[in-house]
Amino acid sequence: MSDTETYTPPKVWTWEQESGGTFASINRPIAGATHDKALPVGKHPLQLYSLATPNGQKVTIMLEELLALGIKEAEYDAWLIRIGDGDQFSSGFVEINPNSKIPAMFDTTTGLRVFESAAILMYLAEKFNNAFLPTDLKARTECLNWLFWLQGSAPYFGGGFGHFYAYAPTKQEYPINRFAMEAKRQLDVLDRHLADHEYLAGEAYTIADMVTWPWYGRTVRGESYDAGEFLSVHEYHNVIRWEKQIAARKPVQRGVMVNRTSGPPEGQLHERHDASDFETRTQDKIGEDA
């Protein structure tokens, strides 16, 4: 449908055909498993099933930050879920996350499943003595303010702007303009706040930064949807300063590699089962097709 055509919704919507665009082949209006397949289980306490999208990177960054603190109980196995192939619709994955979205985690020490990226970070923070989650009421509240700001805002950026700008079968002016405006408004919210704060919750690096950086940090680097010039990301000087500060952290650099299947082979660690994997199991070392 072109921008000039008018669409009249039917009285009752029915799913008759794929709408086109990237991921159309796996989109459907119902939940539940499409095939039987058990999830693999490794040797570590925490079993992560994910892909290195911005939402997936939130969790691997947190896990690597915990390990950098010397918390050995945060050791984890990270299993690759290829969402383009529909791995998230296996019976094993749906059992852990009925919403069929990555990331999802199972804690073998408690027998608990955890899904939704923010819930996973809060679970890990509270499990490990409030790591990266302030205990002071004021600081904790500010941390949670930004944590939930991200969870509410990112879908407009990814599912809104990202979809219509990069993934929709046709380029349409109205939705691109609508969501570009929202994307820039969100960047301005962050930029104004970070003008007076080192990190989102104040002077301390917290889970609020970990959930926000993979989305808006990548954006001001010009990596999200190849839209840096379109969104004039160079204007957001405070977000750029914050992005560089977090990107320099070694655990962040490791976290973004885990379950990654794109980019330079040396930056891809499809599965992570040991800290040594970063040195020995990246795709440049084991082969592109491994």
Side-chain angles (χ1 to χ4, degrees):
M1 185 178 72
S2 72
D3 283 351
T4 58
E5 293 176 343
T6 299
Y7 169 65
T8 302
K11 272 192 168 184
V12 178
W13 183 86
T14 57
W15 185 45
E16 297 179 352
Q17 61 184 13
E18 295 176 359
S19 60
T22 307
F23 305 117
S25 63
I26 61 171
N27 290 334
R28 58 199 182 112
I30 56 175
T34 60
H35 59 284
D36 289 328
K37 185 178 180 180
L39 291 176
V41 179
K43 63 182 179 179
H44 295 305
L46 301 173
Q47 300 295 303
L48 178 67
Y49 304 93
S50 191
L51 180 69
T53 66
N55 287 331
Q57 289 177 347
K58 300 172 189 178
V59 179
T60 49
I61 287 171
M62 174 63 162
L63 288 165
E64 291 298 327
E65 291 281 8
L66 291 169
L67 291 170
L69 290 179
I71 301 174
K72 297 180 180 179
E73 295 80 7
E75 267 293 357
Y76 68 105
D77 291 282
W79 303 94
L80 180 62
I81 299 296
R82 295 183 183 272
I83 60 176
D85 295 342
D87 291 351
Q88 68 275 31
F89 300 118
S90 73
S91 56
F93 192 90
V94 171
E95 186 176 353
I96 292 181
N97 184 358
N99 196 38
S100 291
K101 302 289 185 181
I102 62 95
M105 188 181 75
F106 186 78
D107 186 342
T108 62
T109 62
T110 61
L112 295 174
R113 69 179 187 183
V114 196
F115 60 90
E116 290 295 320
S117 55
I120 295 173
L121 264 67
M122 286 192 67
Y123 177 86
L124 291 170
E126 292 175 342
K127 178 181 176 74
F128 297 116
N129 198 32
N130 289 302
F132 303 107
L133 180 60
T135 55
D136 170 76
L137 179 61
K138 180 179 178 181
R140 187 184 186 93
T141 300
E142 189 67 359
C143 175
L144 296 181
N145 285 342
W146 288 103
L147 176 70
F148 290 107
W149 175 87
L150 181 281
Q151 294 301 109
S153 297
Y156 287 97
F157 183 79
F161 174 75
H163 174 77
F164 287 105
Y165 185 80
Y167 299 140
T170 60
K171 303 292 186 187
Q172 298 183 39
E173 183 178 1
Y174 174 76
I176 290 176
N177 283 345
R178 170 66 182 85
F179 288 110
M181 177 178 66
E182 176 62 12
K184 288 184 69 66
R185 189 194 69 81
Q186 292 174 4
L187 285 166
D188 194 49
V189 168
L190 288 172
D191 201 63
R192 289 170 184 266
H193 178 70
L194 289 167
D196 301 314
H197 301 84
E198 184 173 4
Y199 296 104
L200 289 178
E203 301 308 308
Y205 173 65
T206 69
I207 59 174
D209 300 289
M210 294 181 206
V211 301
T212 306
W213 181 86
W215 279 103
Y216 297 95
R218 287 181 63 217
T219 300
V220 297
R221 287 164 67 105
E223 296 177 358
S224 295
Y225 314 116
D226 195 26
E229 182 178 6
F230 181 75
L231 294 175
S232 299
V233 296
H234 65 279
E235 299 174 343
Y236 305 104
H237 304 289
N238 301 307
V239 183
I240 292 171
R241 183 271 307 163
W242 167 83
E243 187 281 325
K244 290 180 177 179
Q245 193 167 345
I246 294 174
R249 298 178 68 91
K250 295 297 184 183
V252 173
Q253 294 168 14
R254 291 193 294 270
V256 298
M257 294 173 62
V258 179
N259 298 143
R260 187 167 188 168
T261 59
S262 63
E266 63 271 19
Q268 297 182 35
L269 183 60
H270 286 190
E271 291 187 358
R272 187 263 191 219
H273 303 291
D274 188 85
S276 64
D277 290 347
F278 291 102
E279 303 299 327
T280 63
R281 299 290 297 172
T282 52
Q283 289 305 105
D284 59 315
K285 294 185 174 65
I286 66 174
E288 291 284 347
D289 296 327

